[in-house]
């Protein structure tokens, strides 16, 4: 969203606003359950709270930096590209087991399918806009 707003890259704004809203809803829901104690989980403790606060503060800092110029927005876009590649690689952590067993059951089918479609559409936007970050992340 930051890169889309301050570069500017209008096609990146609306989907990222939806993503931020969905992510905020998810965090509020999970923290609500953790604080109310209805579904206690060791994953939603002090460390997760500090991580959540750190992520929010980092986003505020990156937005402030990106607002300085189109060049600084590109820097934030480059960082986002690296983070995006890491996120897309997450399901591949089980790839060794998949190859060893010759069975793709461990790969999350819905996530892999949605990532494929997401990458296909964003690659098209990247090529149309000449946006290297979109092409590299999704190509």
């Amino acid at each position: 969203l930051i890169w889309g707003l301050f570069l500017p890259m209008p096609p990146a704004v609306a989907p990222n606003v939806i993503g931020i809203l969905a992510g905020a809803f998810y965090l509020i829901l999970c923290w609500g359950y953790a604080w109310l104690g209805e579904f206690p989980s060791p994953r939603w403790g002090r460390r997760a709270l500090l991580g959540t606060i750190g992520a929010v503060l980092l986003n505020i800092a990156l937005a402030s930096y990106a607002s300085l110029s189109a060049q600084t927005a590109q820097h934030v876009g480059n960082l986002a590209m690296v983070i995006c590649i890491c996120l897309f690689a997450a399901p591949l952590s089980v790839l060794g087991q998949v190859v060893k067993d010759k069975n793709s059951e461990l790969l999350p089918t819905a996530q892999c399918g949605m990532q494929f479609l997401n990458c296909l559409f964003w690659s098209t936007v990247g090529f149309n806009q000449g946006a290297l970050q979109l092409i590299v992340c999704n190509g």
Side-chain angles (χ1 to χ4, degrees):
L1 176 64
I2 296 167
W3 178 72
L5 286 173
F6 295 114
L7 185 56
M9 177 64 65
V13 174
N16 282 290
V17 167
I18 294 168
I20 286 172
L21 292 174
F25 176 76
Y26 169 77
L27 282 172
I28 290 167
L29 186 70
C30 289
W31 279 115
Y33 280 124
W35 285 333
L36 296 174
E38 290 185 33
F39 297 99
S41 170
R43 293 184 178 202
W44 289 91
R46 182 185 198 127
R47 186 175 175 189
L49 178 62
L50 292 174
T52 301
I53 292 169
V56 169
L57 293 175
L58 177 63
N59 276 290
I60 291 169
L62 289 173
S64 298
Y65 178 68
S67 69
L68 298 175
S69 70
Q71 183 179 7
T72 58
Q74 284 285 13
H75 296 161
V76 172
N78 290 335
L79 176 62
M81 175 178 60
V82 171
I83 293 169
C84 181
I85 290 169
C86 291
L87 288 173
F88 281 174
L92 299 179
S93 62
V94 296
L95 193 57
Q97 190 68 35
V98 167
V99 171
K100 181 181 172 187
D101 295 345
K102 296 181 181 173
N103 184 348
S104 63
E105 186 176 298
L106 292 175
L107 291 173
T109 306
Q111 181 182 4
C112 291
M114 293 307 292
Q115 280 184 336
F116 173 77
L117 291 174
N118 183 51
C119 289
L120 178 69
F121 295 136
W122 278 113
S123 293
T124 303
V125 172
F127 283 114
N128 287 340
Q129 299 287 325
L132 183 63
Q133 288 90 348
L134 293 177
I135 295 168
V136 171
C137 289
N138 298 293

